[in-house]
């Protein structure tokens, strides 16, 4: 069974990342924090036993931290987050991948162990999901492509996780929920000592 890891990233450009965080810490500090988050995501994903795919928000970058011999580079496609994730899963499903996870680059509490646990869960469950403390999710995994999960959601709202769980139940899919972690959106989301320790 072919396994894949999808990583959604933003291009680290001053003034274009972490706008809510930048409103309180400034654009340069917000960019610095986002680069640390990218480095952490790179560190925890690099040795995961799956084919790895980076999906950039704005443009492909051949000369950044994501080594081309480890990470296959792609562009996100779609009008909203749901459509962009749906396109990425659909693309990999068409290539024969079954156990597929998607993560972003906003969670410094995410670990390689959690990613490995998610892949293990997909041997027993149709769906694995990592709830974020803000009501969204930091990880979504599917044993097979379920396109309906990306429709009819209010993305970036506090109901995304619960709506996804509810929809999966209505469709009779089995679900494993992981530990709740914290995504970084605003300054209060960050334990700066912990962030500095892991990057």
């Amino acid at each position: 069974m072919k396994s894949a890891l999808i990583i959604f990233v933003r291009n680290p450009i001053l003034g274009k990342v972490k706008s809510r965080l930048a409103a309180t810490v400034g654009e340069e500090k917000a960019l610095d924090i986002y680069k640390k988050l990218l480095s952490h995501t790179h560190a925890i994903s690099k040795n995961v036993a799956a084919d790895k795919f980076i999906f950039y928000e704005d443009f492909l970058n051949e000369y950044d931290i994501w080594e081309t011999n480890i990470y296959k580079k792609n562009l996100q496609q779609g009008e909203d987050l749901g459509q962009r994730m749906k396109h990425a899963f659909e693309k990999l499903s068409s290539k024969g991948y079954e156990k597929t996870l998607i993560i972003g680059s906003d969670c410094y509490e995410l670990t390689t162990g959690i990613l490995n646990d998610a892949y293990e869960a997909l041997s027993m469950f149709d769906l694995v999901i990592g709830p974020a403390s803000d009501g969204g999710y930091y990880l979504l995994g599917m044993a097979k492509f379920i396109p309906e999960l990306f429709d009819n959601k209010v993305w970036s709202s506090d109901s995304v996780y619960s709506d996804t769980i509810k929809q999966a139940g209505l469709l009779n899919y089995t679900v494993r929920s992981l530990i709740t972690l914290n995504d970084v959106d605003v300054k209060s989301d960050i334990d700066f000592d912990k962030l500095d320790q892991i990057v």
Side-chain angles (χ1 to χ4, degrees):
M1 183 176 287
K2 293 172 66 178
S3 299
L5 176 63
I6 299 167
I7 305 173
F8 267 28
V9 300
R10 297 177 184 86
N11 298 85
I13 300 169
L14 185 66
K16 295 213 170 174
V17 297
K18 293 291 162 203
S19 56
R20 291 170 61 195
L21 179 62
T24 54
V25 303
E27 291 181 348
E28 290 188 5
K29 182 64 173 176
L31 177 60
D32 179 59
I33 290 168
Y34 186 61
K35 286 180 177 179
K36 289 182 177 181
L37 292 169
L38 288 174
S39 294
H40 174 68
T41 305
H42 175 266
I44 65 166
S45 65
K46 188 173 182 179
N47 295 316
V48 170
D51 293 341
K52 291 168 273 288
F53 299 83
I54 295 293
F55 280 79
Y56 295 88
E57 186 172 80
D58 295 312
F59 59 87
L60 297 179
N61 188 344
E62 296 300 318
Y63 305 103
D64 58 8
I65 64 172
W66 309 101
E67 303 95 333
T68 55
N69 63 323
I70 298 175
Y71 298 90
K72 298 175 178 65
K73 301 189 175 188
N74 304 265
L75 272 179
Q76 298 174 30
Q77 295 183 33
E79 293 185 1
D80 63 23
L81 178 58
Q83 293 305 304
R84 294 196 295 271
M85 290 193 293
K86 185 177 184 179
H87 169 264
F89 270 99
E90 187 172 27
K91 182 173 183 175
L92 295 190
S93 177
S94 71
K95 294 180 181 292
Y97 289 97
E98 294 176 311
K99 283 182 165 184
T100 302
L101 303 181
I102 189 168
I103 61 172
S105 49
D106 298 321
C107 185
Y108 64 83
E109 295 179 339
L110 187 58
T111 66
T112 305
I114 292 171
L115 295 176
N116 290 335
D117 288 346
Y119 282 113
E120 283 190 29
L122 290 177
S123 296
M124 298 171 281
F125 296 86
D126 299 313
L127 180 69
V128 61
I129 187 165
S133 55
D134 62 4
Y137 53 74
Y138 60 86
L139 176 153
L140 181 71
M142 289 184 271
K144 65 176 182 178
F145 180 43
I146 308 170
E148 297 92 341
L149 293 182
F150 302 104
D151 300 330
N152 304 313
K153 303 284 189 309
V154 181
W155 298 102
S156 300
S157 73
D158 60 5
S159 66
V160 172
Y161 168 73
S162 59
D163 288 346
T164 303
I165 292 289
K166 186 183 302 181
Q167 189 176 23
L170 291 172
L171 294 169
N172 294 316
Y173 289 111
T174 57
V175 183
R176 164 75 188 279
S177 288
L178 304 174
I179 187 173
T180 299
L181 300 180
N182 196 36
D183 269 343
V184 172
D185 291 309
V186 295
K187 186 178 180 180
S188 59
D189 293 331
I190 304 172
D191 179 332
F192 284 94
D193 289 337
K194 186 182 290 186
L195 182 65
D196 288 339
Q197 288 171 6
I198 62 175
V199 296

